[in-house]
């Protein structure tokens, strides 16, 4: 199996690369960290592949999403040329990593929790997504229909996490604070916002299961378990054996109030195996 993997040095990309290598597949990784721009490959390269997985994008934590709106232009260019490349090279199978940020913010407000279903995004009449990053991913999903002749899997990860994630993201930032036994323990926002945490191993295994079983269309990658940031802080500090004061920072970037998946479609072909408690234990151990 010949595989093109863009963004293979990023958090999701490097874990996917390791899993694909473990299968003995022939993987070509393209990443700016290696001096290779996926945009150049999409524009000028016509080498054949059996499968393409597109992870390359300008990403970051909440501060990056809110503070780098012009990153949308780069992401849109990458996605548009990815679709052109797929059509030009007749690549039979492809994966596009969208995001839970593509869901309408109107469905993620304070009040009763609403688990997000794939059909909550109507490409004919989409609601406003989360920031320009969500807008780029929503547009990327719409562009997928132009990769004619390619069987396309569209994945919408929720809050992916793992031991080696950059601590610009909430989970590793909480782990670092707990390891350092920080007191007070800072939490962006009021602590009541919920997220749906899925371990990177489950995210990768779900991606490969979708490829193996030829799953197409959008699929949520999440567990359906809602965890507030206060609850996550309690979990990581309890696991390290101390009880700090929590200091909430309501003025810090913190995104929508609720972001939790309905994982029913995912569970039709893969069931996440790593609980949040186990993921915390692994991260504290590493």
């Amino acid at each position: 199996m010949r595989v093109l993997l863009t963004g293979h040095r990023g958090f999701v990309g490097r874990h996917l690369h390791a899993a694909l290598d473990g299968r003995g597949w022939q993987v070509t990784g393209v990443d700016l960290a290696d001096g290779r721009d996926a945009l150049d490959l999409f524009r000028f390269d016509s080498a054949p592949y059996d499968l393409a997985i597109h992870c390359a994008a300008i990403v970051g934590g909440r501060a990056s999403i809110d503070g780098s709106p012009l990153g949308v232009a780069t992401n849109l260019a990458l996605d548009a040329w990815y679709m052109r490349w797929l059509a030009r090279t007749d690549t039979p199978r492809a994966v596009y990593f969208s995001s839970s940020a593509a869901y309408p913010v109107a469905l993620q407000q304070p009040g009763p929790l609403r688990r997000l279903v794939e059909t909550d995004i109507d490409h004919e009449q989409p609601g406003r997504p989360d920031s320009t990053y969500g807008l780029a991913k929503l547009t990327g999903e719409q562009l997928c229909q132009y990769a004619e002749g390619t069987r396309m899997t569209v994945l919408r990860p929720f809050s992916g996490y793992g031991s080696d994630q950059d601590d610009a993201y909430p989970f590793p930032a909480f782990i670092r604070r707990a390891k350092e036994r920080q007191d007070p323990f800072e939490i962006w926002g009021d602590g009541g916002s919920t997220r749906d945490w899925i371990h990177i191993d489950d995210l990768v295994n779900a991606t490969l299961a979708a490829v193996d079983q030829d799953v197409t269309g959008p699929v949520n990658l999440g567990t359906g378990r809602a965890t507030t940031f206060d609850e996550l802080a309690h979990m990581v500090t309890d696991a390290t054996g101390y009880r700090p004061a929590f200091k909430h920072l309501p003025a810090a970037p913190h995104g929508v109030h609720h972001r939790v998946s309905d994982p029913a479609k995912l569970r039709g072909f893969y069931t996440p195996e790593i609980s949040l408690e186990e993921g915390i234990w692994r991260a504290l151990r590493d």
Side-chain angles (χ1 to χ4, degrees):
M1 177 77 79
R2 297 164 301 174
V3 184
L4 173 71
L5 176 61
T6 70
H8 77 109
R9 295 283 295 275
F11 176 55
V12 175
R14 63 179 176 265
H15 284 270
L16 272 171
H17 200 168
L20 294 166
D21 282 344
R23 290 186 167 200
W25 292 2
Q26 181 181 332
V27 183
T28 298
V30 178
D31 197 295
L32 279 175
D34 296 327
R36 297 189 66 194
D37 192 335
L39 185 59
D40 290 338
L41 181 141
F42 294 150
R43 292 174 64 193
F44 304 118
D45 197 312
S46 296
Y49 293 91
D50 302 304
L51 169 67
I53 304 178
H54 180 38
C55 297
I58 293 179
V59 296
R62 189 74 232 177
S64 176
I65 290 175
D66 288 349
S68 302
L70 292 181
V72 67
T74 299
N75 290 340
L76 285 171
L78 279 166
D79 294 348
W81 279 101
Y82 177 51
M83 304 309 164
R84 290 185 179 187
W85 176 84
L86 290 171
R88 187 178 76 246
T89 58
D90 295 321
T91 302
R93 288 287 284 116
V95 174
Y96 175 70
F97 272 95
S98 181
S99 170
S100 55
Y103 279 103
V105 296
L107 303 180
Q108 304 172 73
Q109 298 302 308
L113 172 67
R114 188 186 195 285
R115 286 178 172 79
L116 299 166
V117 183
E118 286 82 358
T119 53
D120 284 332
I121 293 179
D122 180 353
H123 288 132
E124 296 300 320
Q125 294 183 312
R128 182 171 68 87
D130 186 8
S131 199
T132 54
Y133 180 74
L135 176 62
K137 291 303 185 179
L138 179 63
T139 305
E141 287 193 19
Q142 293 171 316
L143 290 172
C144 285
Q145 64 185 302
Y146 298 108
E148 297 179 2
T150 299
R151 297 279 291 174
M152 180 73 72
T153 299
V154 177
L155 302 174
R156 295 174 184 162
F158 279 67
S159 295
Y161 73 97
S163 303
D164 60 338
Q165 189 178 26
D166 189 284
D167 71 2
Y169 292 87
F171 181 88
F174 275 32
I175 294 296
R176 176 179 55 80
R177 290 169 197 161
K179 285 182 174 181
E180 295 172 356
R181 303 177 76 85
Q182 292 186 9
D183 191 357
F185 189 106
E186 292 187 348
I187 301 172
W188 291 10
D190 64 7
S193 300
T194 61
R195 292 297 183 267
D196 183 344
W197 302 97
I198 179 169
H199 192 272
I200 185 61
D201 288 357
D202 281 320
L203 196 155
V204 167
N205 290 335
T207 300
L208 297 182
V211 170
D212 291 341
Q213 299 180 44
D214 200 27
V215 175
T216 60
V219 180
N220 290 335
L221 299 186
T223 67
R225 175 181 176 179
T227 304
T228 69
F229 284 103
D230 275 355
E231 289 170 339
L232 180 63
H234 277 294
M235 292 169 74
V236 299
T237 55
D238 285 350
T240 48
Y242 84 116
R243 293 184 178 274
F246 291 159
K247 180 181 179 180
H248 296 105
L249 303 177
H254 53 274
V256 296
H257 192 75
H258 294 303
R259 178 163 291 161
V260 182
S261 75
D262 180 331
K265 187 172 182 180
L266 170 64
R267 290 179 183 274
F269 63 92
Y270 180 79
T271 300
E273 298 177 349
I274 300 173
S275 69
L276 182 53
E277 288 81 1
E278 181 178 350
I280 289 170
W281 178 81
R282 290 186 184 187
L284 290 172
R285 178 195 61 189
D286 291 344

